Amino acid sequence: MILLQSHSRFLLQTLLNRVQNLEKAVELDYHWVEFDDVRYHILVSMKNPNVLLLSVSLPIPPPEAVFIGGLPFGAIEALKAAYGVVVQILDPPRDGFNLTLKLNLGKLPLHEEHRYALLVKIASVREVVLGAPLRVVLKHLSSKTVIPGIDGLLALVHRSKESFFLVPQPDKVTVVFPMRFKDSIDIAFATSFLQEFVEARHTAGLNNAPPCLWSPNPPLELKEAPAEALSANAGFVSFVIFPRHVEGKKLDRTVWNLSTFHAYVSYHVKCSEGFMHTRMRRRVESMIQALDRAKPRVEEKKKSPNSRSFKRLSLKEARANSIS
């Protein structure tokens, strides 16, 4: 299984190139889109080459998800804690975006390793923003408490107009994903993949992994969820997260893996589909070759200019030829 990286590779490469060429005044204006409909925009002007504006557009939240000022709750605090004085949050953001960050590249750490680590963190802005509510919930789990004011079901956005759900408790957090796919082939692959995914949890090497369940029907934890949020054509996947899963450095990995679980499944569904198509094409090619070998070979007679051909005549035709 391949896990997705938390940072945007294109964003990280752009930041590294800009930092390595600060003495050159260049103008940058890049737009791009990454998985789950997260859009980015980078802007650098010739007048102020040390300042970089990074704008991010998040997936459209469904009605049940909690957004404050266009961002998930806890995102502003997470951004300030992650980036410090290097990054300034512009309010309001640029038109068409949920967030605009102003990066002062002249304030980056002088030490190369520290500078690179901070740039990787900036390139992981998606994880910092979208994973902020989940991080807050799991931090309380590590201390076996629940966020004050949150009682029962909590919906978090992870795709455009789609959410997954948390059920926080002092000793565990249940995470439920309604799995939706548009293509009928993707639905069949995803259903099979998720059932195998659950079975793999029972292998000996994964005893400490979070318990995982799959069901074609909504679990009891979603009894308070709105009906439109329960339309899942590939079933429901539930994870139970315990305090041991969020200890120390495990917290970052758990937040990212849960935040991108649907993208992780979609990636492997498409890989499986591509692998099946490749196997089918190879099988068809081998069958065509077998049919070609089974065809009888007809050897054509090649006639040279000096070759003669003979025709056997009947007795009547022979007599007629001799009289003439």
Side-chain angles (χ1 to χ4, degrees):
M1 299 295 179
I2 298 177
L3 297 177
L4 301 173
Q5 293 179 333
S6 61
H7 63 270
S8 167
R9 295 183 63 182
F10 182 77
L11 176 54
L12 177 59
Q13 189 60 48
T14 303
L15 293 173
L16 289 173
N17 291 340
R18 189 71 212 101
V19 169
Q20 294 170 1
N21 298 279
L22 280 179
E23 69 281 357
K24 298 180 181 179
V26 296
E27 185 174 339
L28 300 180
D29 190 358
Y30 295 158
H31 291 262
W32 75 97
V33 181
E34 295 192 354
F35 63 93
D36 289 342
D37 198 26
V38 176
R39 296 188 296 114
Y40 297 87
H41 179 217
I42 280 183
L43 186 64
V44 177
S45 65
M46 297 282 288
K47 296 181 180 179
N48 200 350
N50 286 351
V51 173
L52 183 146
L53 294 182
L54 171 62
S55 299
V56 183
S57 174
L58 304 176
I60 300 174
E64 64 272 11
V66 179
F67 264 44
I68 301 174
L71 295 172
F73 75 88
I76 297 297
E77 293 78 7
L79 289 167
K80 292 179 179 179
Y83 304 140
V85 297
V86 177
V87 174
Q88 178 185 354
I89 303 172
L90 299 187
D91 188 19
R94 294 176 61 87
D95 291 341
F97 295 91
N98 299 83
L99 174 69
T100 298
L101 301 178
K102 183 178 180 180
L103 282 68
N104 190 338
L105 301 179
K107 293 184 178 180
L108 291 173
L110 298 178
H111 193 275
E112 185 175 353
E113 291 185 3
H114 295 166
R115 181 170 63 247
Y116 180 80
L118 181 57
L119 292 178
V120 171
K121 196 66 177 178
I122 294 173
S124 305
V125 62
R126 170 204 182 99
E127 176 195 12
V128 174
V129 175
L130 286 179
L134 181 57
R135 184 181 300 275
V136 173
V137 172
L138 295 183
K139 275 187 176 180
H140 279 78
L141 174 64
S142 62
S143 58
K144 296 185 178 182
T145 59
V146 179
I147 302 176
I150 294 182
D151 184 19
L153 200 63
L154 177 63
L156 304 182
V157 63
H158 66 140
R159 305 178 73 221
S160 181
K161 299 181 180 180
E162 294 185 15
S163 58
F164 66 101
F165 299 91
L166 306 181
V167 183
Q169 296 177 359
D171 58 341
K172 66 179 181 180
V173 173
T174 303
V175 187
V176 183
F177 292 89
M179 304 302 293
R180 304 178 183 91
F181 296 88
K182 296 180 180 179
D183 188 77
S184 59
I185 298 178
D186 290 351
I187 295 172
F189 271 101
T191 302
S192 176
F193 176 85
L194 292 171
Q195 291 174 349
E196 293 293 332
F197 189 86
V198 173
E199 290 297 324
R201 165 64 179 79
H202 301 297
T203 58
L206 298 176
N207 292 332
N208 294 326
C212 178
L213 298 173
W214 177 87
S215 172
N217 302 314
L220 294 177
E221 289 84 357
L222 298 186
K223 60 183 179 181
E224 299 178 2
E228 58 272 13
L230 302 180
S231 58
N233 51 24
F236 297 81
V237 181
S238 303
F239 294 95
V240 182
I241 309 300
F242 293 104
R244 68 175 185 272
H245 298 132
V246 293
E247 295 173 348
K249 295 182 179 180
K250 294 180 182 179
L251 175 63
D252 292 339
R253 186 171 65 236
T254 302
V255 169
W256 175 247
N257 291 342
L258 290 174
S259 301
T260 59
F261 178 72
H262 194 287
Y264 166 84
V265 175
S266 299
Y267 175 82
H268 285 87
V269 164
K270 292 300 182 183
C271 288
S272 300
E273 188 175 339
F275 176 74
M276 291 291 290
H277 288 172
T278 301
R279 290 289 301 272
M280 291 170 63
R281 284 194 294 268
R282 289 178 180 174
R283 181 62 176 167
V284 170
E285 290 173 358
S286 64
M287 293 176 66
I288 292 175
Q289 292 175 0
L291 291 174
D292 289 340
R293 289 194 299 267
K295 291 180 179 179
R297 296 183 179 180
V298 180
E299 296 182 359
E300 297 182 356
K301 296 181 179 180
K302 297 181 179 180
K303 296 182 180 181
S304 62
N306 298 327
S307 62
R308 298 180 181 181
S309 60
F310 300 92
K311 180 181 178 182
R312 178 174 292 182
L313 301 177
S314 64
L315 183 60
K316 186 177 181 179
E317 290 175 338
R319 288 178 181 176
N321 288 341
S322 63
I323 294 175
S324 61

